[in-house]
């Protein structure tokens, strides 16, 4: 099969035809363990976390790893409750120990033994991948494979971030950065009655935000037109943490959604943290988060704005993501 490998992590702008950093090559079709599915990939979303792995912001856990954890495919070898031919989704969280204190209290996303698709094990930038049957997801009817792919990480993480942001009913929400995850999160928030303000650098992203129903869309460093009850930082830019905190109303909450964030500047207590403002991080997700979001996505008609690339152009998709050349989400199609 064809599959991409992160051979030598480094800046994607240095990659090009024949690059030894990130390569497409022939690899053996993976052999699943007894409790795993073999999945023929039909679509794989391009996530910013893949970029962090390729560039070395997240140290590679597996030499030559194949990225990709927004995978839609068809079961080619079955296990568990699945049968050959079933359509499944493969997400970021691949496995946990199920026995630690975190797993037992329903916080499997904090499991110290957790493993991740496209980081600890080969993912979906390939024609086949594997997944433990217990961590595969059944997908809602009515979504084609390309539309479903970004839901499996961008959507799930955005949903967890929205819950971590403690948005009150009918509240005022600020979204900093408006890529794959934020534009899905916004649709859930709007469906639940929120007033959404988008703050992002890209003009295309701002237009998409307004088209989806955002009240305002401005530059990332601008002050929103009204104080925010909650904010979510999707952009991996630490400089925006104090900016978002200053935009919060008293008692507001900032959730930081990314797995990687550049260093934050010093915070000024009186203007950025006083009046019981809160900062919360977001770490991965649980399977319950995934099931809840997929059900809401079907109920609310959440749809990703997608841009397709052939599998052979995964390197270009990552460079375009890095440069902010598209709104919504990119999806690889083998």
């Amino acid at each position: 099969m064809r599959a991409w490998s992160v051979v030598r992590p480094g800046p994607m702008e240095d990659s090009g035809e024949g690059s030894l950093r990130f390569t497409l090559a022939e690899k053996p079709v993976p052999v699943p363990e007894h409790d795993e599915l073999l999945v023929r990939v039909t679509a794989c979303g391009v996530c910013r976390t893949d970029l962090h792995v390729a560039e070395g912001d997240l140290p590679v856990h597996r030499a030559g790893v194949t990225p990709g954890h927004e995978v839609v495919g068809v079961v080619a070898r079955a296990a568990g409750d699945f049968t050959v031919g079933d359509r499944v989704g493969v997400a970021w969280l691949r496995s946990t120990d199920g026995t630690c204190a975190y797993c037992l209290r329903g916080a499997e996303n904090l499991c110290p033994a957790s493993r991740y698709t496209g980081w600890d094990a080969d993912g979906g930038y390939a024609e086949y991948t594997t997944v433990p049957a217990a961590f595969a997801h059944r997908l809602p009817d009515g979504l084609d494979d390309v539309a479903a792919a970004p839901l499996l990480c961008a959507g799930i993480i955005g949903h967890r971030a929205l819950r971590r942001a403690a948005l009150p009913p009918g509240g005022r929400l600020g979204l900093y950065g408006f890529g794959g995850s934020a534009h899905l999160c916004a649709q859930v928030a709007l469906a639940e009655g929120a007033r959404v303000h988008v703050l992002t650098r890209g003009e295309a992203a701002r237009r998409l935000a307004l088209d989806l129903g955002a009240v305002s869309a401005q530059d990332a460093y601008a002050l929103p037109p009204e104080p925010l009850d909650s904010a979510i930082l999707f952009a991996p830019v630490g400089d925006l943490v104090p900016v978002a905190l200053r935009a919060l109303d008293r008692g507001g909450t900032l959730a930081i959604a990314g797995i990687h964030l550049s260093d934050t500047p010093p915070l000024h207590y009186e203007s950025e943290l006083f009046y019981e403002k809160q900062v919360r991080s977001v770490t991965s997700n649980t399977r319950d988060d995934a099931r809840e979001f997929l059900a809401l996505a079907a109920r609310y008609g959440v749809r990703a704005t997608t841009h397709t690339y052939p599998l052979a152009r995964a390197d270009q998709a990552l460079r375009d993501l890095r440069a902010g050349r598209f709104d919504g989400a990119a999806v690889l199609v083998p």
Side-chain angles (χ1 to χ4, degrees):
M1 69 169 186
R2 294 178 303 157
W4 285 88
S5 294
V6 179
V7 178
R8 185 166 55 91
M12 285 303 299
E13 65 262 31
D14 294 341
S15 298
E17 286 297 321
S19 167
L20 296 179
R21 292 188 185 277
F22 186 50
T23 63
L24 177 64
E26 293 289 323
K27 296 175 69 171
V29 173
V31 178
E33 301 291 336
H34 73 281
D35 61 344
E36 293 181 344
L37 308 175
L38 176 64
V39 177
R40 178 175 60 81
V41 177
T42 56
C44 183
V46 177
C47 179
R48 188 166 292 275
T49 301
D50 302 331
L51 181 64
H52 292 319
V53 171
E55 295 200 316
D57 297 322
L58 297 177
V60 170
H61 284 181
R62 176 187 175 95
V65 70
T66 296
H69 56 273
E70 297 179 339
V71 186
V72 176
V74 176
V75 174
R77 179 172 165 183
D81 295 331
F82 293 92
T83 60
V84 171
D86 284 348
R87 192 172 75 134
V88 297
V90 182
W92 175 236
L93 184 66
R94 180 181 178 86
S95 66
T96 60
D97 62 24
T99 60
C100 69
Y102 305 102
C103 287
L104 293 177
R105 77 182 195 211
E108 66 181 5
N109 59 307
L110 301 179
C111 176
S114 57
R115 299 179 72 246
Y116 299 94
T117 308
W119 195 19
D120 296 292
D122 287 339
Y125 284 29
E127 293 175 321
Y128 287 88
T129 191
T130 63
V131 61
F135 285 79
H137 298 285
R138 298 189 185 275
L139 299 175
D141 295 331
L143 279 179
D144 65 34
D145 295 349
V146 169
L151 304 184
L152 289 160
C153 179
I156 296 167
I157 290 297
H159 177 64
R160 185 171 183 87
L162 181 60
R163 299 303 181 234
R164 292 282 291 164
L167 181 67
R172 302 157 296 176
L173 174 67
L175 301 178
Y176 288 80
F178 203 69
S181 194
H183 91 290
L184 297 171
C185 173
Q187 292 176 58
V188 174
L190 288 163
E192 295 180 341
R195 291 173 56 82
V196 175
H197 300 278
V198 170
L199 302 108
T200 191
R201 66 179 180 175
E203 290 185 12
R206 292 198 290 267
R207 287 195 299 270
L208 174 60
L210 294 173
D211 288 344
L212 289 173
V215 176
S216 71
Q218 302 169 266
D219 182 76
Y221 290 87
L223 190 67
E226 60 182 336
L228 304 173
D229 298 300
S230 303
I232 305 174
L233 177 58
F234 287 103
V237 182
D239 284 349
L240 288 173
V241 170
V243 174
L245 285 170
R246 287 194 294 271
L248 289 177
D249 204 350
R250 300 182 182 205
T253 299
L254 168 65
I256 300 174
I259 192 172
H260 170 78
L261 186 72
S262 61
D263 289 344
T264 60
L267 297 177
H268 184 261
Y269 180 68
E270 184 175 355
S271 62
E272 295 159 4
L273 283 173
F274 196 48
Y275 296 117
E276 299 192 350
K277 296 180 182 181
Q278 300 183 72
V279 180
R280 293 178 168 180
S281 64
V282 179
T283 300
S284 185
N285 61 273
T286 67
R287 282 171 286 177
D288 284 344
D289 292 328
R291 295 176 189 123
E292 180 179 295
F293 170 71
L294 291 171
L296 288 176
R299 183 190 311 167
Y300 296 148
V302 173
R303 293 292 184 270
T305 296
T306 56
H307 306 270
T308 58
Y309 292 73
L311 178 63
R313 295 188 64 215
D315 54 345
Q316 186 61 53
L318 287 174
R319 287 197 293 271
D320 289 349
L321 172 64
R322 191 183 198 281
R325 294 191 184 107
F326 54 77
D327 57 1
V331 179
L332 304 178
V333 179

